[in-house]
Every structure is written in C-alpha cells, then in structure tokens.
Amino acid sequence: MYCVRNVTEDLYWIGANDHRLSLFENIHPIPEGVSYNAYVLMDEKTVLFDTIDWSSCRQFLENLEHVLNGRPLDYMVINHMEPDHGASIEEVLLRYPDVTIISTEKAFMLMRQFDFDINGHTLDEVKEGDTRCFGKHTVTFVAAPMVHWPEAMVTFDVTDGVLFAADAFGSFGALDGKLFNDEVNFDRDWIDHARRYYTNIVGKYGPHVQLLLKKAAGIVNDIKYICPLHGPVWRSDFGYLLDKYQHWSTYEPEEKGVMIAYASMYGNTEAAAQALAAKLCEKGMTNVVMYDVSNTHVSYLISETFRLSHVVLASVTYNLGIYPVMHNYLMDMKALNLQNRTFAIVENGSWACKSGDLMEKFIQNEMKNMTVLSSRLSLASTLKAEKANELDVLADAIIESMEEEKNK
Ligand code: FEO
C-alpha cells in the first residue's frame, strides 16, 4: 500500500520511515527511527527529487508509482549521493529507463564509483546558478559542498518557494504520519534528534554550512517550504531553525550550562561528579546535566556538548592514560571540529594520577578555541571531606567563567 503526503498541491512526499535500522551509518543509535525523504513534483514534466535507502526501496517505488498514476517519470534530481538517499537510483532507472538524471559532476562520478549503471541513460550535469523549467515550475541549483558530502547541492523551486535542502535541516526520528514541523512539538519532541543528527553527521563542516546559510540568506524571504532528506518538512518558524543552525555551524553554545561527563570505574569519580553538580546547583547554576561516558553513546555526548557552554571532564586514570571511552569522546569532539567551550577537569588515580594532565593537553593541543579552567579537582581514589574547599573553588570558577563570558 502506498503511503504519501502532499507537500503542496502538486508536490508529494514519497519517502519512508525506518524503525528497523538500529544504527544510522552503522554507528549512531536511532531508537526513534529515521525517515528517508524523497519528493515528486507533478508538473507538465514529472520530477523526482532524490531516492531513498535501499532498505525502504519497495515502499518508495510503490509511492512513486501511485503518484505518477501511469505517467512517465521525466526527471530525477539527485541532490545528494550518500547511499541513504542514492541507493535506489538504479531501481528507478530499471523501471523508468527514459528518465533524465539531473545532478552535479561529482555526483555522477560517485554514481559510477558505486557501480551504478548510468551509462546509456540521459545525464544532465548542472552547476550553481543553472536553472531548469518543468512547466509551471522553475528550479535553480545551489552548490552545497560538504553538506555533507562534496557532491551535494540543494535545489530551489522558485515558483513555489520550495527548498530541497539535502542533508541540511534534517533530523533523526521517524515521521510516523506527521510530515510538517507544525504537526509536531518540535522544540519539545524533536530538537534533541535534530541536534544529534546535525552535530554528528554534519557538525565537522560548520564553515560549509555557514556558506550555504549565507547563500540562503539571499532568498530567505522567498522560501516557503524546506524539504530536507530526513525529518519534518518546514513550512513555518524558519527563524527558530536558522538560529539553531547559526549556533551549531559556528560552534557557539545554545545555552549557558554545565555538562558533567564522568568516567568512573567503581563509583568514586561519579560520587565526586555528583558532589560538584550539587555544589553548582546550590550556588544557583541549575542548568546541569550529567552523563556516564561508559553507558552513553558518544553521539549523545557530542550533541549535548554542542548545546552547552561548559563541560566538566571527570575521569579516572587507566593504564596511565585517559579512560578509553573518555578518550573516544575527546577524539570525537576533535573530529567534529567542536570549538568555543570552557572545560573544567576532575581527575582520579589511585597511585599515578595522570588523566587530568592528559585531558588538558589534549584539549589545548588538539582542539581549537577551547578554554581549560586552571582550578582542578584531583582525587586519590575517592573524594575526601578535606577536599570540600577545592570542590567549592572549582564550582565558583565554573560559575565565574560564565559571568565573565556574559560580560564580554
Ligand atoms: Fe542522509 Fe549525507 O546522507
């Protein structure tokens, strides 16, 4: 049975929801599922915008056939070739061999690299600023390199103000019937999915997202719909979404707050982390969250680190090094180009306490524009009552640094 929804009178969402995939890109947990969005425009010519993941291809083809209702498929615009969108291209070609594929030079190169049999089909290579008319609708193409692969572009339907945004403005989470941002409580139910999607998938490419946002600024008043390849279609409240993207792509925190990420083998480092959290709250900083890095997938840690201004790293020493999962978290922060955060350090070691120096060195030497507070809490096995003053000093230092940043 087909499952489609109208976006506008003549534009249809023909994607699919996937609740069976447990790890997106085989690495990021998606307990709430994911949607693969594809769209078809029914004009004088029929135009498909992107395909979907192989896992949901059957549903997608049934949707496409239903909307076409016996008409041929004239064009297939490929904005992004990553297989969660491009994997079904060959299936479309098998069923609609006369379709013309519109895409970028690099995307055609990738199609061949993935061994798609596109030779013998009509290929229309486009670049930034090119336009195509399908009858009532004219579209223009905008290069979006590294958002989030090098071949990516976005397509703007200037007739109806529809931006086919590729991976930009997407989100984890299955749609489950709801298509538009105003059909969900995005700020309550979706923003964490959207942030975790952006920060882990596109987060490294903030400068490229900035370039795309600057290009979009020129047409922002003409945009009526944003159609991403994952998650809800936006038709209102663009300011909310753009503000989030502005923060994320410039690596500026959304909120003043403290994330305490702790690595604890027997509960002693965790107890110190809890004591610090209580102290911060007692002093009035109640926007505090705590994560055990051993049982929190790093994609959630990254998402929260993008959200908040301050991070406390509390780690045991392990094999004279940083506890492995804490090290992995730091490596991921570096890989994703995260910047502009203030760190405080809590270290623990029963005989050779090394983790604090090593974490500080990593932050200072491997990452950009980070601050490490000079106050540090050092534990020998467990937090003793005589350390109460040091705990107090560390909490004060965190709060004072927030005040200083506010006054800058
Ligand atoms: Fe959803 Fe970069 O693919």
Side-chain angles (χ1 to χ4, degrees):
M1 172 68 183
Y2 61 84
C3 177
V4 305
R5 284 201 59 187
N6 278 81
V7 178
T8 65
E9 195 186 345
D10 53 6
L11 178 67
Y12 298 80
W13 174 87
I14 60 160
N17 293 292
D18 189 348
H19 280 284
R20 290 186 298 161
L21 185 74
S22 58
L23 295 174
F24 188 81
E25 295 184 345
N26 212 11
I27 187 167
H28 307 294
I30 44 168
E32 296 83 10
V34 68
S35 76
Y36 311 111
N37 299 340
Y39 307 89
V40 66
L41 177 68
M42 300 297 286
D43 200 340
E44 286 172 25
K45 299 292 182 185
T46 59
V47 190
L48 171 65
F49 294 91
D50 293 294
T51 74
I52 72 171
D53 191 84
W54 180 250
S55 63
S56 306
C57 183
R58 192 173 176 204
Q59 178 71 65
F60 158 74
L61 290 171
E62 200 170 343
N63 293 346
L64 179 59
E65 188 181 2
H66 167 72
V67 175
L68 288 174
N69 194 22
R71 290 181 61 184
L73 180 63
D74 298 309
Y75 293 96
M76 172 162 59
V77 175
I78 299 299
N79 288 300
H80 186 24
M81 246 308 291
E82 191 166 8
D84 56 332
H85 311 294
S88 301
I89 289 173
E90 269 196 316
E91 285 299 314
V92 172
L93 292 176
L94 283 171
R95 285 163 174 75
Y96 306 95
D98 296 330
V99 69
T100 295
I101 312 177
I102 301 176
S103 198
T104 61
E105 180 188 6
K106 281 200 175 81
F108 287 127
M109 183 270 289
L110 284 169
M111 286 178 214
R112 293 190 173 95
Q113 207 167 284
F114 277 105
D115 233 0
F116 291 180
D117 187 13
I118 57 171
N119 295 332
H121 295 277
T122 310
L123 310 181
D124 181 5
E125 190 179 300
V126 291
K127 56 185 184 322
E128 171 123 353
D130 286 352
T131 61
R132 295 290 181 271
C133 182
F134 303 121
K136 190 176 95 174
H137 294 261
T138 297
V139 301
T140 184
F141 305 101
V142 180
M146 303 320 297
V147 187
H148 105 266
W149 275 19
E151 89 301 356
M153 67 174 184
V154 301
T155 302
F156 185 53
D157 175 345
V158 297
T159 308
D160 276 356
V162 179
L163 179 66
F164 298 95
D167 270 346
F169 308 117
S171 178
F172 290 146
L175 293 167
D176 297 345
K178 303 165 285 288
L179 179 62
F180 297 101
N181 69 298
D182 55 22
E183 295 176 334
V184 300
N185 187 331
F186 199 90
D187 197 51
R188 186 190 66 195
D189 299 332
W190 279 81
I191 186 61
D192 290 341
H193 304 326
R195 184 186 300 103
R196 193 163 64 86
Y197 168 82
Y198 174 90
T199 56
N200 287 279
I201 306 299
V202 194
K204 178 181 177 64
Y205 304 112
H208 299 85
V209 173
Q210 275 288 299
L211 277 178
L212 184 60
L213 290 177
K214 288 192 173 92
K215 289 182 191 177
I219 55 164
V220 75
N221 292 330
D222 300 322
I223 298 174
K224 303 288 183 280
Y225 299 86
I226 298 175
C227 293
L229 289 175
H230 303 284
V233 168
W234 287 76
R235 61 180 176 187
S236 62
D237 222 2
F238 296 152
Y240 170 89
L241 183 62
L242 290 170
D243 179 64
K244 295 295 182 193
Y245 263 66
Q246 181 64 20
H247 282 89
W248 299 338
S249 61
T250 56
Y251 307 101
E252 290 298 331
E254 291 167 62
E255 296 170 35
K256 292 278 180 215
V258 184
M259 170 184 175
I260 303 177
Y262 62 89
S264 187
M265 291 168 65
Y266 298 106
N268 293 296
T269 307
E270 179 178 2
Q274 289 286 356
L276 179 60
K279 190 60 77 178
L280 287 164
C281 292
E282 189 178 83
K283 290 174 181 288
M285 170 36 68
T286 53
N287 193 10
V288 176
V289 291
M290 294 187 61
Y291 293 97
D292 181 344
V293 297
S294 294
N295 62 27
T296 309
H297 189 272
V298 70
S299 64
Y300 292 87
L301 301 176
I302 289 294
S303 183
E304 285 293 78
T305 315
F306 268 72
R307 183 170 71 89
L308 294 167
S309 60
H310 285 62
V311 183
V312 177
L313 302 176
S315 181
V316 291
T317 302
Y318 197 81
N319 288 330
L320 295 182
I322 305 169
Y323 197 60
V325 281
M326 180 66 85
H327 192 234
N328 182 52
Y329 166 45
L330 285 164
M331 294 283 284
D332 219 19
M333 266 192 255
K334 177 190 170 186
L336 292 167
N337 201 22
L338 187 64
Q339 305 171 36
N340 305 322
R341 295 299 183 277
T342 300
F343 288 86
I345 286 175
V346 176
E347 60 179 352
N348 197 353
S350 290
W351 63 93
C353 189
K354 298 278 186 198
S355 58
D357 282 349
L358 292 171
M359 289 191 292
E360 178 160 357
K361 195 168 140 198
F362 188 97
I363 294 163
Q364 302 287 21
N365 296 348
E366 305 283 339
M367 292 195 272
K368 290 180 271 185
N369 304 324
M370 300 297 203
T371 303
V372 181
L373 297 176
S374 56
S375 304
R376 182 193 295 182
L377 184 61
S378 294
L379 314 179
S381 300
T382 188
L383 179 64
K384 309 280 191 308
E386 61 258 31
K387 291 272 182 179
N389 187 49
E390 282 178 49
L391 186 71
D392 208 56
V393 168
L394 184 60
D396 281 341
I398 293 168
I399 291 169
E400 278 163 23
S401 80
M402 285 185 186
E403 295 297 319
E404 284 163 18
E405 283 173 18
K406 202 159 66 184
N407 296 331
K408 270 184 198 166

